[in-house]
Amino acid sequence: MEELWPLPAPEVAEAIRSLCQRLLTETDALSEAIAGPTLTAQNEPALLADASLVEEDLHLNRSDVVQWLTSNVQRPGRRVEPYVGPRTAAYIQDLVSRGIAPDFVGGWRVALAIGWRRWLEECVAHCPSPDLLVEVLDVSAKSLAQYAVDSVSAMREASLAAAMGNADAEAIALIQLIAGGAPMTEDLAEGRLRYRMSREHVGLVLWTDDPEQAGALDEVVAAVRSATVGRSALVARASATSRWLWLSDSATPDLRHVRKIVAKAEDVRGAVGRPGHGLDGFRSSHQDALAAQAMIIRLGATRQFTAYADVELIDGLTKDRAGARRFVTKTLGPLADADVVLRQALLTYVQCGFNTTRAAADLYAHRNTVERRVSRANELSLVKVEDNPTHVAAALLVLDLAPDITAP
C-alpha cells in the first residue's frame, strides 16, 4: 500500500510498538467494549436481531483490533492494510444474501472514538515525555484514521463481489422481508418461495458456535428435511454458522424428531418458536426462535435445544444480567450456591404441579428421595415455594440456563 506520511523517528516507533504489545493482552475486553455501540451505530435492525450475525460482527471487531495492533508491532506507525479473511468474506456474503446493509461508516466512527480514548489513556500513562507523547499521538492518529478509511473501502469491495456472485439473493431477500414484517400476500410469498403459507408453521434456528462445523450443520438440516415426510420445509442459509428452517403441516408439526436429530449432533444447537398459522405465524414463530437463540448465546448457556415457549419469561428476566443476578440471589439465597441436585428436584416438583410422584418419575428417583431434596431445597431458599412458586421456579430456571449468573 502507498505510504501517506513520513516514517516515525526510531524512539517514536519503539514507543508505539511497546504500547501495542501492552494492548494486545486486552484485545477481548477492547473488542467487547466496541461491539455493542458499533452494532447500534450500524443502524441495521436485521443484524441486531440475529445472534449468529452479532457473533460474527464481534469476531470482525476483534480481527480489526488485532490487525492494527500486530501491524504496529511489526511496522510501527505505518499504514495498515485491512485483512479480509475467509471468515470475514463469509460474513459479508451472508449480509449481502439477506439484503442486510449495515452502516459501516457509522460503526467505524463509533469504534474509532472508543478505541482512540483507550489509546490516549495508554499513551499518557506510558510516554515518558510530553514531546514523545505528541509525536506518538500524531503518527498513530494518521494510522488509525487511514485504517478506518481503508477498512470501509475493503468491506464495500467485498460486498460488491458477494452481490455479483449470489444467485439466490432474491429468495433470501424475500424471506428477510417477510421475517422483518414487510407487507406481503400469502400468494406472492408461496409463488416465490414454493412453500405453503396457509398452514400451521414452526420456525427453527439451527446454528454452530464453530465455523469449521458448517458441514455438521448442513448434515442436521438434511436429516431434518428427510424426516419431514408429508410436511413442507423451507431452509434459508442465514449465515456461515446458522440456518433458518420452517416446517408446516395442516396441524401443528411434531418436533420430537427434530430434537432427536439435534441431540445426536455435538456441535449443532437449535431453537424453536411457538407454532403459528399463515404468514403471521411464519413470521412470529421465526422471531421467537431468533429470540431463544439470542438468549442462549447471551447467557453462554450450553442447552442444545430450546423452545421459546419454555423460556420466554427467562428471556425477559435476563436481558439485564445484573438485574437477573439480584433476582436470583434475593429469591433463592443460599439455594443458589447449593448442590444442583437440590435445585433440580425443587424445579421439577414445581413443574410437575407439586406432585411428588410425578417429579420422582421425571427425575428417575425414589419418591422419598425427592421429598427429602425438595424439603431441603425449600429450607435453603429465601422465598419459600409455597409463598411464591412462580418466582422460585423462574429463579431456578435462570440458574439452570446460566449457572454462573450469580458469580461476581
Side-chain angles (χ1 to χ4, degrees):
M1 299 183 76
E2 180 186 0
E3 298 293 352
L4 302 177
W5 55 88
L7 284 168
E11 63 272 18
V12 175
E14 186 53 39
I16 291 174
R17 177 182 290 110
S18 176
L19 290 163
C20 288
Q21 287 172 332
R22 288 176 179 275
L23 285 175
L24 275 169
T25 64
E26 57 177 82
T27 51
D28 288 341
L30 188 53
S31 302
E32 291 281 356
I34 290 171
T38 55
L39 269 174
T40 303
Q42 288 178 72
N43 194 31
E44 179 50 81
L47 174 57
L48 285 167
D50 190 321
S52 291
L53 291 183
V54 169
E55 285 291 296
E56 291 305 301
D57 192 77
L58 175 59
H59 173 79
L60 178 59
N61 283 327
R62 190 181 188 283
S63 296
D64 284 332
V65 170
V66 171
Q67 176 72 357
W68 190 83
L69 290 174
T70 54
S71 295
N72 273 276
V73 169
Q74 297 164 0
R75 300 173 66 246
R78 311 310 299 134
R79 187 177 181 183
V80 176
E81 183 169 2
Y83 173 66
V84 181
R87 186 166 178 177
T88 299
Y91 173 56
I92 297 299
Q93 175 73 54
D94 295 334
L95 294 178
V96 170
S97 69
R98 289 170 51 185
I100 299 174
D103 180 1
F104 293 130
V105 173
W108 261 103
R109 186 180 296 115
V110 171
L112 273 179
I114 296 171
W116 181 249
R117 172 59 185 262
R118 182 68 190 92
W119 180 252
L120 277 176
E121 292 171 349
E122 200 70 12
C123 290
V124 170
H126 297 287
C127 286
S129 72
D131 289 342
L132 180 61
L133 175 62
V134 169
E135 290 299 320
V136 167
L137 292 177
D138 180 54
V139 173
S140 55
K142 292 183 176 74
S143 180
L144 264 175
Q146 190 61 46
Y147 183 56
V149 171
D150 291 339
S151 294
V152 170
S153 296
M155 295 288 277
R156 285 175 173 166
E157 289 175 10
S159 297
L160 287 172
M164 292 178 66
N166 184 18
D168 299 322
E170 183 179 353
I172 298 172
L174 182 65
I175 290 171
Q176 182 71 42
L177 286 172
I178 297 170
M184 185 81 57
T185 65
E186 286 189 353
D187 288 345
L188 175 61
E190 285 187 0
R192 295 279 185 87
L193 298 176
R194 297 181 180 180
Y195 172 83
R196 300 241 343 239
M197 286 292 172
S198 55
R199 307 176 88 190
E200 296 294 321
H201 305 274
V202 288
L204 297 105
V205 177
L206 298 176
W207 79 96
T208 177
D209 298 320
D210 182 2
E212 298 297 321
Q213 295 299 323
L217 181 61
D218 288 327
E219 288 175 7
V220 170
V221 171
V224 170
R225 294 194 71 167
S226 66
T228 56
V229 179
R231 305 185 184 96
S232 295
L234 177 65
V235 179
R237 184 187 187 279
S239 73
T241 57
S242 69
R243 305 290 183 266
W244 294 348
L245 288 82
W246 288 264
L247 305 178
S248 72
D249 204 339
S250 55
T252 301
D254 186 347
L255 295 181
R256 285 177 293 183
H257 69 288
V258 178
R259 287 180 179 270
K260 292 177 181 177
I261 291 168
V262 174
K264 293 178 182 178
E266 290 184 9
D267 300 303
V268 176
R269 296 199 279 172
V272 60
R274 292 166 296 196
H277 183 80
L279 200 60
D280 287 339
F282 178 93
R283 179 184 297 119
S284 64
S285 189
H286 172 66
Q287 291 170 339
D288 283 353
L290 284 178
Q293 180 201 23
M295 185 201 70
I296 292 297
I297 292 175
R298 181 177 72 243
L299 295 177
T302 58
R303 182 176 290 192
Q304 197 166 6
F305 194 86
T306 305
Y308 189 64
D310 295 338
V311 298
E312 184 175 10
L313 174 61
I314 309 309
D315 183 31
L317 281 173
T318 56
K319 284 180 178 174
D320 174 9
R321 193 176 181 89
R325 183 186 301 116
R326 288 192 300 272
F327 172 73
V328 169
T329 54
K330 289 183 179 297
T331 302
L332 301 182
L335 181 59
D337 299 315
D339 191 331
V340 67
V341 172
L342 296 179
R343 298 202 302 266
Q344 191 60 51
L346 185 57
L347 177 59
T348 305
Y349 173 68
V350 177
Q351 291 174 329
C352 289
F354 309 100
N355 186 311
T356 308
T357 301
R358 284 178 54 199
D362 283 1
L363 293 167
Y364 300 100
H366 193 278
R367 189 176 187 278
N368 292 342
T369 301
V370 172
E371 284 184 345
R372 286 196 301 271
R373 290 174 182 173
V374 168
S375 177
R376 178 58 181 155
N378 203 32
E379 287 175 8
L380 292 172
S381 182
L382 285 181
V383 176
K384 305 308 176 186
V385 69
E386 62 270 18
D387 294 333
N388 198 328
T390 302
H391 277 206
V392 172
L396 289 168
L397 279 169
V398 171
L399 269 182
D400 184 51
L401 283 167
D404 64 341
I405 199 162
T406 56

